[in-house]
Structures are given as structure tokens and as C-alpha cells.
């Protein structure tokens, strides 16, 4: 350890750090730490010029350890790993110390203490750098094929885009016919294009494309392997399951419509329909008189937010707290269709908030100009739908009429139902994707990694990850396609070497660690003395859950070994602080 | 008690001019910008809501439409182009059709056939009556009182006036009853008597209108009313003095008052007709057929009136008698249709509501102190 030569760089980050942390004092406080060959400060360490300086230092001073004390590693860990690599140093010998988010920003009220804390943090980093071993990332050859699960508008569009890129596609659909929800729709918003027509075009192209193999009535029953090289077991109908090798998967399993309970807003009474039922009906109506089940429909009421934005209630096991966001626009579009077919139809929209966001605002505009009347109700006082012998009566407290209770006699009530996550336990058990509180699949990051999941190589798209319009579903599908392509077209993937490692001499084969791993990355393998734990490095995320549960202390996560962590603790806690910083 | 939504009323309102009713999304800018809307009487948004939903009782009970003078600021401010001022105008038209139990007002407002049929029918009747019952036609000189003696015409005037009063006052009675039935402020009875002077005051001055940002229309309207009242007094009270065969000197009060009233009527109705053609002012942008009819009839009445005078003083007997018949054929249908069943009924509704509003404010003030 004493032979190590470590370079330490302390960043001002403009003034983000140096306004609160005395950077000079930190430099003095760590200069005499063991193995520190060179220590400097920089105004912006991430700047090109300073990166060049560091590379020069590494080469000239023959450094074999590097510490930068700056911002969060989320921002610049890879920047400085790359600096090390460019200077010929193993990138895993770089240690990042966060003295901005974890120090200067949170201790603005106490500058002297902030400076002292920074010294201790940097000392910990230096101690760890003294013990960092060179590591190599793993490389896995990828199979240029993708399994797309679900042949709705998202799955179909994704398959075509992948195949056009030269990536082979297995497209599986649980139902007998491809197309999903959109296949059943005539006019769709915003351009009144036929949904069935769109799907027909996609399906024809999918069938015609050599690169796509389509299986209807098919389900994924087992998944093994890891990113770049999965093995997927597929069962189609009653046939014997068969397996396909793919490098990635896109899950586009879609949504279910909110199931209105009998009696909820009068559901079950003649003339009370859900949004999909309304859509199916209005799609088949000829111009002129609107007729439902033999009765003329002259006056209609829409009740919005049915099954969405639900408040916690004792009789509601899991309220859908989210807004389904497509339904306002869909209902407006339906109202426009109704007004176009029969201009004299009277339509009352009972809403909580109109969320015809973005371009769909014009739908609200058109609906209101075509004669739709809007009534706003409070979520705590929903409308009541009752039969009046002749038809239906909707009672609502209208906030736009100063809370006046109003009765509207109507011929039809449309319950504007939202999207809910599709119940699909069998598939969830196979995929093991994390599911959010709302029941939909969770992405890693809603803004920056919107279609990636914690399982490398498995992407989500469309309404399986939350309520979306068709166009948003397709956008997500194409986003997933680009992530697949980025992964597979290189031919290999490189995986972080910061994975768990089992010391098989110590391992007793108790298998406690297997339970602790959320990624199923550990299994037991036979050895001379029986069985020991084995880590599948392509599945391991280096989460470290297995480390503390091991009774024999037989597991270490590379880059975060017990020795390294303990040395950090010792260095951080060491007394006294360097001269001049002791106060 | 829940109010019943009546979709038919919104459709009626559309026919009566509220074309953009459903464009309103109730931001309330119109109410905020209105210089006449206050804490006690809030409009136009509330009126629009009641029309949109067809809350008939609320409409019948609301005095607000008569408290608006259509300055048009709300329509200029409306972010949706929903034309709130025109919706309030439609509400006034609707109420005019509803106060009248004969159903004639509704027919006049919703059917052009009825509207023009009634005007032309009555006009034709007047011509027919003159043709049958006129006095001797003196051609040597102008003897209008031989052709149509003032004492006979005066009796017919009074008979017609009584008929109009019965219709109009019964409409006013229904309006007052409905408006007061929904009044929540406790109003002591005596206030209705002690504040009675407010009624003629509002009738003569429309002083609430003054508070609109642009008071030019109020001034013009004042001029119109002064001309109309002058003429009304001379015809209904002093016809024998007004309709003479003797040609007074120019400065004689009979001639001067006549000239003033004619000028006021011609100038203001002419100005309004031009305004409605040019559509520059917000209140002139939309014209219902009833608006045109009222203005044109009033203009033609004044025009034929002054023509009678010109022919008479210049000694054209036949032209005088003919113009007199035409004048009557316009004046009589205008009064019979417009005063009880048409746009002119506002001459009674507005001041009565302004008076009630005045009494209400007084009552509220005394409750506080």
C-alpha cells in the first residue's frame, strides 16, 4: 500500500463547493495523507483543461490511484473513470468523493464544520484508493434478436422498426388476433383516423416482413440467461413450448379498462355504459338519429374520472390515485363524433378537471363549440345516476353554478373509465419486473430512462407502463426499439465488474444469500466439499444485499470490499484532523 | 330542492341570439370586468350559466338581465369569444317572451313570419280603416282635421293606450312577482312606498347606465327617450293642440317641441341603424330581426311624422293625408306589437327592476346600520 501513488483533486465547482467549504484548508488537511503523491485544487475539475492536466499528472507522476472530490458520482463518476483510462490507468482505481451534494450544499449554515467534514470525506476516498484493485468489465456477445411481448399498436410498431433495422423479431400475442384495443376502433383522436385501418396496415406489414416471426395465442412461460443472451420459452396454444434465443425483450402487454362495479354510478342499468362500450356503440352509429338498444338517444351525460384519481376509501382495497389522462380526450372525441352524427344531441359533461392536454385541447374546444355543456363536480361529491322509469336522471352538485344541485334527465350515461394495469400474474412471475404502486411496470427513471427496467435487456413500452394515448404508446415503443438497437447492434455488451464475489473456501453452502438477491443472480453449484454459492456476473447488479446476510462473511462486492470500506471508516474517523483544520 | 336542467331553453336562447353559449367555460372575466356587476347582483356569468343549463326558475327569478345596458366590455374581454353581452341580450329576449302569457311575444321573437305578418297585417288594417272611415278630403287647402279629426284620433289613442297598459302592466306584474319570490334580503314593505320616487327617476334617466365605462350610448339614449316622451305627451295628452290645421309661426312651442322630438328620434335611431350596419361598437355587432324592426319602425314613424308637417305647412293636401295614413300604418303596429310583446317593453322592465334593486340596496343598508 505504501507504494501507491495517488493524485487528489479538490474541486471548487465554481463556487458551489468553495463558497461553503474552504478548499485550500481541505487541500492542506489531506496533503500529508499516506500515498498522496500530488494534490491540487481546480475551479472546474470536469473542464477539458483540468482533465488534460490530470492526464498529464498521471503520466508524469506515474500515479496509480486517483481521487476527485467534487459533485455527485451520478454526474461525473464516468467522466473521471474515463480520464483515468485515457491516462493508461485502470478506471476502477478511480475513487469519487462527493463534497457538494453531501457536504457544501447541505452545510451552508456552518462553513467551518463543512470544511472539516470535507477533509474527512476526502481522507476516506484516499484510503479506499489505496486499496482499489484493477478490474475489467465483462463482455457478453449479444444475439441480434428481440422478443416483443404483445401485438397491440406498440408491439406491432416496435417489431416493424426493429426488423427494419435488421434485428430479428419474435412477436408473441396472447390473443388469437393481433391489434389490441386500437384494432376495434373506427375514428380515433386527434385526426379521426380509423384505428382499425392503422392496425390493418401494421399487421399486413408485419406479416410480410421476413425479419418478424409472429405467434398468436402465445405466452412467455420461462425466461433464463441475461442481457444480450436470453433464452425465452414460449407456449403457443396446446403445442409443446419451444425456446428462442434473444438479446433483448420489449414488454408491450397493454392495459385493461377500469372494471366498473355493478351499481357504481348506476352501472348495470339500461343506458349506463363505460367509455369502451360507448366507443364501440358510437363507432357503429349511422348519421341521423342515435339509437341504443332500440331507444333513441337525445340527451347524454358523461361522468368523468370513473376509476381514476380515486381517494382512499374503506371499501376500496387499492384506489387508483393516478389520472388516466387519455380519457378526457377520448370522451371529448366521442362527443364530437356524436355531435357530428346528430347535431341536435344534447351532451352534458360532468367533470372534475378537464385534462385534454397538449394538442388535444382543441378537442375540448370543438366539443364545446358543438354544443357540449360542462359541469364541474367535486371529487368528494360524485354525481348520482338513477332510473326515473322513463330513462336516467343524473344528480350533480355543479361547482360552476355555485354548488347548486341539478338534475338532468338523460337517455344515456357514459362512465368515462380510465386505464388500469393488466392483471397478468403468470407473466409477472416470469419477468420479475418491478411494479409500481399503481400496478403498472416501473421504468428506471421517468425522465432519463423512460423505457428501461432494472433488468438489463428488458424494456417496457406502451400502456404496460402507465396510461398513454396511441401516439404516446408508439413513441415509447420506438424509444424501446432504439434502446434495443443500441444494445444489440454493437455485437456485445460490457458489464460493470462491480459484482459480488464468493470466497468458496469460506462458503458453507447455506444458501441464505440466494434469498436475499432481488435479481436471482446467485445459485448453488457443486464442488468438492458439497455445494457453494455461485454469482452469475451478468445478472448481478452489485447491490450487496448478499454481503451482510452471509454468516461466514464469504461474500464481497468488488469495488466495495470489506477491507476498502473499513479503511475508509478508519481514515474518516482518525483524530486529530491536520494542523490548521483542528478548530 | 334540485333544479331541473331543461335543454330546450339553451336551444331557445340560441334562436334568440345566444349563438356562442356553449363556448363559455366560466372563467368569470366578464363578471369581473363589468362595471355594473357587484356583490349583490352578479352577472353576466351567472346568466350565461342559467341559459346553458336551462334553469328556467333561476332565469325567471333573476333581475340581472335588466340591470345590464350592453356596454359590451364583457364580450371584448371574453377569452373564448363567447359573446357574454349577447347572451345577456338573449336572456332579455327570452324573459320578454316569458313574462307575456299570451304567447304572442314568443311568436314575435322566434318566427319572422309572425313578426312581419303582424306588423304588415296591422298596418294594412289601419290603411283599410282609413279608407273606409276617413272624413271628407279637402283638396283646396290642407285640412287634416277634416280628413282625420283630432278628437276622434285622440279617443282611439286612449283606447289603444289602455289596451297596451293592460298587457304591459300584467307582464310587469308577473316579472315582479317572480323576482321578489326569490329575494333573500328582508325588505320592509314601507320602503317600496318611501322609495317610490326612484321608479320615475330611473325611467327618465336610466342613471345606472351612466356607470358603464363608455357613457356616450347613455347620452344618446337619453336624447332618444326625451324625444320619445315629448312626442308621447303631445300625442296622448295634447293631440288637439298638436294636430292642428293652423300653421303656427316657427318659434311657436308646438313647432319647436315637434322639431326637437323629431330630431332626437331621427338622429338617434339613424345613428343606431348606421351603427348596426357598421358593427363597430360591441353592442351593435349582433342584430336580431327584432332589433332591426324596432329601429326601422321608430325611424320611419319620425320620418313620416316630419313629412306630414312639411307637406302641411307647404300646402300639399293629398300628400299630407296620404303620408298621415302611412304614418299611422307604421305607428300603430309599432306600438301594438313592440310595447307589450316586443323590444320596447324594456321601457317598463328596466326602470321597475332598477327601482326594486334600489329598494333592495336601501334595505340591505338599513339592516347593516
Amino acid at each position: 500500500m505504501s507504494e501507491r501513488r495517488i493524485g487528489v483533486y479538490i474541486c471548487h465547482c465554481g463556487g458551489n463547493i468553495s463558497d461553503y467549504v474552504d478548499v485550500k484548508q481541505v487541500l492542506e488537511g489531506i496533503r500529508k495523507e499516506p500515498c498522496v503523491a500530488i494534490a491540487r485544487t481546480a475551479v472546474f475539475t470536469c473542464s477539458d483543461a483540468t482533465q488534460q492536466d490530470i492526464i498529464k499528472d498521471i503520466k508524469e507522476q506515474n500515479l496509480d490511484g486517483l481521487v476527485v472530490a467534487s459533485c455527485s458520482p451520478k454526474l461525473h463518476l464516468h467522466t473521471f473513470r474515463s480520464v483515468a483510462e485515457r491516462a493508461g490507468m485502470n478506471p476502477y482505481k478511480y475513487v469519487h468523493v462527493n463534497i457538494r451534494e453531501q457536504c457544501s450544499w447541505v452545510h451552508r449554515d456552518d462553513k467551518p464544520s463543512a470544511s472539516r467534514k470535507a477533509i474527512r470525506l476526502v481522507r476516506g476516498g484516499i484510503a479506499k484508493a489505496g486499496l482499489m484493485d484493477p478490474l475489467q468489465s465483462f463482455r457478453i456477445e449479444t444475439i441480434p434478436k428481440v422478443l416483443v411481448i404483445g401485438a397491440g399498436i406498440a408491439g406491432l410498431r416496435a417489431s416493424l422498426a426493429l426488423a427494419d433495422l435488421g434485428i430479428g423479431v419474435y412477436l408473441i400475442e396472447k390473443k388469437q388476433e393481433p391489434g389490441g384495443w386500437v384494432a376495434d376502433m373506427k375514428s380515433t383522436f386527434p385526426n379521426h383516423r380509423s384505428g382499425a385501418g392503422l392496425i390493418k396496415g401494421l399487421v399486413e406489414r408485419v406479416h410480410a416482413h421476413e425479419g418478424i416471426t409472429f405467434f398468436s395465442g402465445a405466452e412467455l412461460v420461462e425466461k433464463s440467461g441475461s442481457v444480450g443472451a436470453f433464452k425465452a420459452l414460449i407456449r403457443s396454444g396446446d403445442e409443446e413450448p419451444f425456446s428462442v434465443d434473444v438479446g433483448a425483450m420489449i414488454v408491450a402487454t397493454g392495459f385493461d379498462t377500469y372494471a366498473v362495479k355493478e351499481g357504481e354510478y348506476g352501472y348495470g342499468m339500461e343506458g349506463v355504459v363505460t367509455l369502451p362500450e360507448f366507443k364501440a356503440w358510437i363507432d357503429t352509429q349511422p348519421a341521423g338519429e342515435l339509437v341504443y338498444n332500440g331507444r333513441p338517444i337525445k340527451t347524454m351525460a358523461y361522468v368523468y374520472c370513473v376509476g381514476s384519481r380515486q381517494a382512499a376509501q374503506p371499501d376500496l382495497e387499492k384506489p387508483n390515485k393516478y389520472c388516466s389522462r387519455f380519457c378526457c380526450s377520448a370522451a371529448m372525441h366521442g362527443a364530437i363524433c356524436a355531435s357530428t352524427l346528430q347535431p341536435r344531441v344534447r351532451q352534458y359533461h360532468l367533470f372534475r378537471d378537464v385534462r385534454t392536454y397538449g394538442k388535444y385541447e382543441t378537442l375540448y374546444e370543438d366539443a364545446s363549440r358543438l354544443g357540449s355543456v360542462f359541469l364541474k363536480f367535486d371529487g368528494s361529491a360524485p354525481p348520482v345516476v338513477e332510473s326515473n322509469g322513463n330513462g336516467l336522471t343524473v344528480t350533480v352538485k355543479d361547482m360552476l353554478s355555485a354548488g347548486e344541485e341539478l338534475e338532468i334527465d338523460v337517455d344515456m350515461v357514459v362512465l368515462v373509465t380510465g386505464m388500469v394495469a393488466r392483471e397478468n400474474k403468470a407473466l409477472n412471475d416470469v419477468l420479475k419486473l418491478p411494479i409500481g404502486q399503481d400496478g403498472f411496470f416501473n421504468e428506471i427513471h421517468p425522465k432519463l430512462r423512460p423505457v428501461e427496467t432494472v433488468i438489463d435487456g428488458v424494456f417496457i413500452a406502451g400502456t404496460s407502463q402507465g396510461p398513454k394515448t396511441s401516439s404516446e404508446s408508439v413513441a415509447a415503443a420506438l424509444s424501446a426499439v432504439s434502446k434495443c438497437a443500441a444494445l444489440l447492434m454493437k455485437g456485445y455488451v460490457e458489464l460493470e465488474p462491480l459484482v459480488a464475489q464468493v470466497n468458496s473456501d469460506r462458503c458453507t453452502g447455506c444458501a441464505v444469500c440466494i434469498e436475499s438477491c432481488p435479481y436471482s443472480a446467485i445459485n448453488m453449484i457443486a464442488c468438492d466439499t458439497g455445494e457453494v454459492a455461485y454469482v452469475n456476473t451478468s445478472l448481478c447488479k452489485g447491490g450487496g444485499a448478499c454481503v451482510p446476510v452471509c454468516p461466514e462473511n464469504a461474500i464481497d462486492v468488488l469495488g466495495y470490499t470489506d477491507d476498502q470500506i473499513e479503511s475508509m471508516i478508519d481514515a474518516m474517523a482518525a483524530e486529530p484532523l491536520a494542523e490548521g483544520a483542528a478548530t | 330542492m334540485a333544479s331541473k336542467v331543461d335543454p330546450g331553453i339553451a336551444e331557445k336562447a340560441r334562436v334568440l341570439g345566444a349563438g356562442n353559449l356553449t363556448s363559455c367555460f366560466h372563467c368569470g372575466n366578464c363578471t369581473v370586468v363589468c362595471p355594473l356587476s357587484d356583490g349583490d347582483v352578479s352577472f353576466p356569468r351567472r346568466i350565461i350559466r342559467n341559459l346553458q343549463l336551462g334553469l328556467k326558475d333561476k332565469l325567471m327569478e333573476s333581475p340581472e338581465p335588466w340591470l345590464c345596458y350592453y356596454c359590451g366590455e364583457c364580450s371584448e374581454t371574453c377569452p373564448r369569444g363567447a359573446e357574454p353581452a349577447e347572451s345577456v341580450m338573449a336572456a332579455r329576449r327570452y324573459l320578454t317572451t316569458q313574462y307575456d302569457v299570451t304567447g304572442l311575444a314568443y311568436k314575435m321573437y322566434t318566427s319572422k313570419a309572425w313578426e312581419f305578418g303582424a306588423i304588415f297585417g296591422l298596418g294594412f288594417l289601419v290603411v283599410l280603416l282609413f279608407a273606409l272611415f276617413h272624413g271628407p278630403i279637402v283638396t283646396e287647402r290642407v285640412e287634416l282635421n277634416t280628413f282625420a279629426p283630432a278628437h276622434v284620433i285622440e279617443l282611439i289613442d286612449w283606447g289603444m293606450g289602455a289596451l297596451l297598459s293592460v298587457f304591459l302592466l300584467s307582464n310587469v306584474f308577473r316579472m315582479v312577482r317572480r323576482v321578489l319570490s326569490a329575494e333573500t334580503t328582508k325588505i320592509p314593505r314601507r320602503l317600496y312606498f318611501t322609495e317610490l320616487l326612484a321608479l320615475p327617476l330611473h325611467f327618465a334617466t336610466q342613471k345606472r347606465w351612466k356607470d358603464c365605462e363608455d357613457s356616450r350610448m347613455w347620452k344618446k339614449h337619453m336624447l332618444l327617450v326625451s324625444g320619445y316622451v315629448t312626442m308621447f305627451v303631445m300625442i296622448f295628452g295634447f293631440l288637439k293642440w298638436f294636430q292642428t290645421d293652423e300653421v303656427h309661426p316657427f318659434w311657436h312651442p308646438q313647432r319647436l317641441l315637434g322639431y326637437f322630438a323629431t330630431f332626437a328620434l331621427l338622429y338617434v335611431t339613424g345613428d343606431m341603424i348606421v351603427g348596426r350596419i357598421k358593427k363597430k361598437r360591441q353592442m351593435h355587432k349582433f342584430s336580431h330581426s327584432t332589433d332591426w324592426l324596432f329601429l326601422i319602425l321608430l325611424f320611419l314613424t319620425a320620418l313620416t311624422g316630419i313629412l306630414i308637417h312639411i307637406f302641411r305647412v307647404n300646402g300639399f293636401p293629398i300628400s299630407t293625408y296620404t303620408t298621415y295614413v302611412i304614418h299611422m300604418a307604421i305607428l300603430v303596429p309599432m306600438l301594438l306589437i313592440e310595447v307589450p310583446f316586443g323590444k320596447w317593453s324594456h321601457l317598463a322592465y328596466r326602470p321597475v327592476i332598477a327601482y326594486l334593486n334600489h329598494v333592495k340596496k336601501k334595505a340591505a343598508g338599513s339592516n347593516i346600520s
Side-chain angles (χ1 to χ4, degrees):
Chain A
M1 174 173 152
S2 52
E3 307 93 59
R4 286 273 164 106
R5 294 178 59 75
I6 300 170
V8 184
Y9 298 83
I10 299 156
C11 189
H12 287 249
C13 193
N16 278 300
I17 294 169
S18 55
D19 284 355
Y20 312 103
V21 167
D22 186 339
V23 173
K24 266 252 150 53
Q25 192 186 327
V26 176
L27 183 71
E28 292 311 317
I30 56 95
R31 198 191 278 287
K32 297 201 180 93
E33 285 295 296
C35 306
V36 173
I38 186 167
R40 297 179 193 274
T41 64
V43 178
F44 284 108
T45 318
C46 56
S47 69
D48 274 352
T50 311
Q51 288 191 32
Q52 292 307 321
D53 289 347
I54 298 174
I55 291 174
K56 207 165 133 226
D57 285 349
I58 293 172
K59 286 181 176 162
E60 285 177 0
Q61 304 277 330
N62 233 351
L63 302 180
D64 59 356
L66 179 63
V67 175
V68 175
S70 57
C71 51
S72 160
K74 285 216 164 195
L75 216 60
H76 280 310
L77 172 72
H78 290 280
T79 311
F80 295 116
R81 268 193 195 161
S82 147
V83 167
E85 197 165 21
R86 278 180 285 150
M89 183 193 283
N90 183 287
Y92 295 95
K93 297 189 104 180
Y94 167 68
V95 175
H96 195 97
V97 179
N98 182 354
I99 58 166
R100 193 177 77 173
E101 282 82 345
Q102 290 174 359
C103 189
S104 71
W105 280 357
V106 287
H107 301 300
R108 294 177 187 196
D109 56 327
D110 188 354
K111 293 184 192 177
S113 297
S115 301
R116 287 200 296 276
K117 177 174 171 181
I119 293 172
R120 292 186 188 277
L121 289 171
V122 180
R123 281 184 177 178
I126 295 167
K128 188 184 177 194
L131 297 175
M132 289 301 267
D133 295 318
L135 299 170
Q136 294 302 327
S137 55
F138 306 104
R139 192 176 263 222
I140 292 178
E141 300 293 316
T142 53
I143 300 162
K145 285 187 173 152
V146 174
L147 174 70
V148 178
I149 308 169
I153 193 163
L156 288 168
R157 188 66 193 85
S159 300
L160 279 171
L162 285 166
D164 285 346
L165 286 166
I167 296 172
V169 177
Y170 299 106
L171 172 61
I172 62 171
E173 166 59 49
K174 196 157 109 181
K175 290 192 182 150
Q176 290 308 315
E177 289 297 323
W181 289 96
V182 182
D184 297 330
M185 296 180 187
K186 245 163 90 179
S187 174
T188 57
F189 67 91
N191 299 328
H192 305 288
R193 288 281 298 273
S194 159
L198 292 176
I199 293 295
K200 191 164 170 278
L202 286 175
V203 170
E204 277 169 10
R205 284 168 60 197
V206 161
H207 284 317
H209 210 298
E210 284 186 337
I212 303 172
T213 316
F214 175 64
F215 301 101
S216 64
E219 284 179 78
L220 176 71
V221 288
E222 211 180 291
K223 178 196 94 174
S224 55
S226 60
V227 55
F230 290 108
K231 200 173 269 297
L233 198 62
I234 294 165
R235 185 174 51 223
S236 179
D238 299 330
E239 292 164 36
E240 199 55 26
F242 58 93
S243 77
V244 293
D245 294 322
V246 293
M249 299 185 187
I250 294 177
V251 182
T253 47
F255 70 98
D256 261 329
T257 185
Y258 173 75
V260 187
K261 287 186 271 303
E262 187 83 11
E264 192 179 356
Y265 294 104
Y267 192 62
M269 284 192 286
E270 177 67 19
V272 182
V273 297
T274 64
L275 184 58
E277 288 165 350
F278 163 72
K279 177 69 183 148
W281 169 71
I282 199 77
D283 272 349
T284 58
Q285 287 295 297
E289 199 183 21
L290 301 177
V291 180
Y292 179 77
N293 279 358
R295 284 185 312 113
I297 303 296
K298 292 184 171 145
T299 313
M300 300 164 62
Y302 298 80
V303 179
Y304 283 68
C305 293
V306 172
S308 303
R309 303 170 69 198
Q310 292 174 315
Q313 288 161 34
D315 57 336
L316 213 57
E317 198 185 314
K318 224 177 70 183
N320 296 327
K321 291 184 178 170
Y322 55 91
C323 160
S324 264
R325 84 193 197 143
F326 87 102
C327 12
C328 281
S329 304
M332 297 291 167
H333 175 256
I336 292 168
C337 291
S339 283
T340 312
L341 294 167
Q342 172 50 272
R344 282 199 315 278
V345 69
R346 298 135 165 180
Q347 304 185 79
Y348 295 92
H349 299 251
L350 280 49
F351 70 96
R352 282 174 67 187
D353 295 287
V354 173
R355 292 181 176 173
T356 48
Y357 58 97
K359 292 178 184 176
Y360 309 134
E361 178 68 2
T362 56
L363 294 171
Y364 167 75
E365 195 76 19
D366 292 347
S368 64
R369 296 212 190 277
L370 285 167
S372 281
V373 175
F374 294 85
L375 297 90
K376 184 176 166 75
F377 68 89
D378 190 278
S380 62
V384 176
V385 181
E386 287 159 318
S387 168
N388 60 20
N390 214 352
L392 299 159
T393 297
V394 185
T395 310
V396 59
K397 278 201 171 85
D398 177 31
M399 291 166 79
L400 298 176
S401 303
E404 181 85 21
E405 189 168 84
L406 303 174
E407 278 178 8
I408 315 169
D409 292 339
V410 297
D411 307 308
M412 176 183 267
V413 173
V414 181
L415 305 180
V416 182
T417 41
M419 291 181 181
V420 295
R422 179 158 270 174
E423 289 282 337
N424 205 339
K425 194 178 175 306
L427 183 68
N428 293 351
D429 286 346
V430 173
L431 289 172
K432 292 200 176 68
L433 288 176
I435 289 170
Q437 283 191 330
D438 52 18
F440 292 97
F441 292 133
N442 253 1
E443 61 282 309
I444 288 187
H445 191 292
K447 289 187 185 71
L448 301 177
R449 302 174 75 181
V451 294
E452 290 163 79
T453 69
V454 292
I455 299 179
D456 285 340
V458 178
F459 304 100
I460 49 177
T463 49
S464 68
Q465 60 177 137
K468 283 186 175 64
T469 63
S470 310
S471 40
E472 289 158 354
S473 289
V474 169
L478 295 179
S479 169
V481 166
S482 77
K483 291 312 289 181
C484 286
L487 177 71
L488 303 179
M489 301 219 18
K490 211 160 63 170
Y492 62 88
V493 284
E494 278 186 336
L495 301 179
E496 284 258 72
L498 306 176
V499 293
Q501 198 174 47
V502 180
N503 182 339
S504 39
D505 291 344
R506 281 197 188 172
C507 179
T508 58
C510 71
V512 180
C513 52
I514 292 182
E515 288 298 306
S516 73
C517 181
Y519 310 104
S520 310
I522 309 177
N523 38 359
M524 304 306 286
I525 54 165
C527 69
D528 306 344
T529 55
E531 272 195 328
V532 287
Y534 168 79
V535 176
N536 180 341
T537 49
S538 57
L539 289 177
C540 177
K541 296 273 182 195
C546 51
V547 176
V549 300
C550 177
E552 302 301 324
N553 223 1
I555 312 181
D556 256 335
V557 173
L558 297 179
Y560 297 92
T561 64
D562 285 355
D563 287 348
Q564 288 162 351
I565 302 293
E566 280 161 15
S567 76
M568 287 175 78
I569 296 169
D570 288 343
M572 285 181 184
E575 292 292 350
L577 279 176
E579 285 158 39
T583 45
Chain B
M1 181 55 200
S3 303
K4 204 83 182 170
V5 168
D6 181 352
I9 288 177
E11 277 149 37
K12 277 180 192 160
R14 216 185 317 278
V15 177
L16 295 172
N20 292 354
L21 201 56
T22 56
S23 293
C24 168
F25 63 13
H26 300 281
C27 62
N29 275 326
C30 49
T31 303
V32 174
V33 82
C34 175
L36 299 185
S37 171
D38 58 31
D40 297 323
V41 281
S42 169
F43 57 93
R45 190 193 78 81
R46 196 172 289 177
I47 301 171
I48 295 169
R49 191 59 174 164
N50 291 341
L51 284 175
Q52 273 186 341
L53 294 171
L55 305 180
K56 184 169 178 179
D57 286 337
K58 297 262 166 218
L59 284 165
M60 293 299 287
E61 290 159 2
S62 68
E64 287 88 358
W66 300 110
L67 294 169
C68 157
Y69 290 91
Y70 207 142
C71 69
E73 263 192 78
C74 51
S75 286
E76 282 161 17
T77 311
C78 178
R80 301 274 295 169
E83 304 293 349
E86 194 56 22
S87 295
V88 178
M89 185 72 225
R92 283 193 288 273
R93 292 181 188 126
Y94 173 75
L95 290 176
T96 304
T97 68
Q98 296 300 303
Y99 298 149
D100 167 52
V101 283
T102 64
L104 281 170
Y106 184 69
K107 293 270 186 229
M108 298 299 160
Y109 267 100
T110 53
S111 154
K112 288 210 177 62
W114 269 89
E115 190 181 10
F116 290 100
I119 295 287
F120 283 104
L122 282 171
F124 181 73
L125 188 67
V126 169
V127 174
L128 194 70
L129 287 174
F130 268 105
L132 294 175
F133 301 112
H134 68 81
I137 299 172
V138 180
T139 51
E140 297 79 47
R141 58 193 172 277
V142 181
E143 275 191 30
L144 185 57
N145 277 299
T146 310
F147 176 74
H151 66 274
V152 179
I153 299 294
E154 191 167 49
L155 284 177
I156 299 172
D157 269 3
W158 291 342
M160 209 166 72
L163 186 68
L164 294 184
S165 303
V166 168
F167 278 123
L168 189 58
L169 289 177
S170 76
N171 291 352
V172 169
F173 172 73
R174 272 185 290 277
M175 173 184 80
V176 171
R177 207 186 47 184
R178 288 306 299 271
V179 168
L180 289 185
S181 73
E183 183 55 67
T184 49
T185 316
K186 246 194 132 41
I187 299 172
R189 284 264 162 90
R190 60 173 175 84
L191 272 184
Y192 288 109
F193 298 100
T194 55
E195 299 299 325
L196 198 57
L197 217 55
L199 185 58
L201 180 75
H202 279 286
F203 177 82
T205 64
Q206 302 92 45
K207 67 194 189 84
R208 278 175 51 85
W209 198 346
K210 244 180 31 251
D211 297 332
C212 287
E213 199 138 294
D214 182 357
S215 60
R216 275 176 303 173
M217 284 316 290
W218 169 70
K219 286 175 190 151
K220 285 182 183 172
H221 190 268
M222 274 288 282
L223 183 63
L224 181 72
V225 171
S226 65
Y228 157 68
V229 170
T230 307
M231 210 44 113
F232 179 84
V233 170
M234 289 196 294
I235 289 173
F236 276 80
F238 305 94
L239 190 70
K240 282 179 231 157
W241 175 75
F242 182 61
Q243 183 182 313
T244 55
D245 288 336
E246 188 188 344
V247 177
H248 294 298
F250 181 80
W251 41 264
H252 189 279
Q254 184 227 34
R255 285 183 73 168
L256 289 183
L257 284 171
Y259 290 147
F260 164 72
T262 306
F263 163 76
L265 290 170
L266 281 182
Y267 168 69
V268 182
T269 51
D271 180 75
M272 287 177 176
I273 288 170
V274 171
R276 283 194 185 271
I277 291 171
K278 285 192 174 164
K279 301 185 180 183
K280 263 204 187 133
R281 211 180 277 274
Q282 185 64 41
M283 72 179 299
H284 289 151
K285 280 194 180 144
F286 302 91
S287 299
H288 195 257
S289 63
T290 52
D291 300 324
W292 285 119
L293 197 68
F294 173 58
L295 278 179
I296 290 168
L297 289 178
L298 199 53
F299 181 84
L300 289 179
T301 305
L303 184 71
T304 51
I306 195 68
L307 281 177
I308 296 168
H309 176 75
I310 292 167
F311 290 138
R312 187 174 70 83
V313 297
N314 290 295
F316 296 110
I318 297 298
S319 302
T320 307
Y321 311 149
T322 318
T323 316
Y324 187 82
V325 173
I326 296 171
H327 179 68
M328 289 306 225
I330 297 167
L331 175 66
V332 171
M334 176 179 75
L335 290 177
L336 281 178
I337 300 294
E338 290 294 334
V339 174
F341 309 114
K343 180 161 173 149
W344 218 349
S345 57
H346 76 267
L347 76 90
Y349 302 147
R350 274 196 190 284
V352 169
I353 290 291
Y355 156 71
L356 291 180
N357 190 46
H358 170 84
V359 170
K360 175 185 168 163
K361 292 232 180 228
K362 270 272 178 254
S366 63
N367 283 351
I368 292 161
S369 57

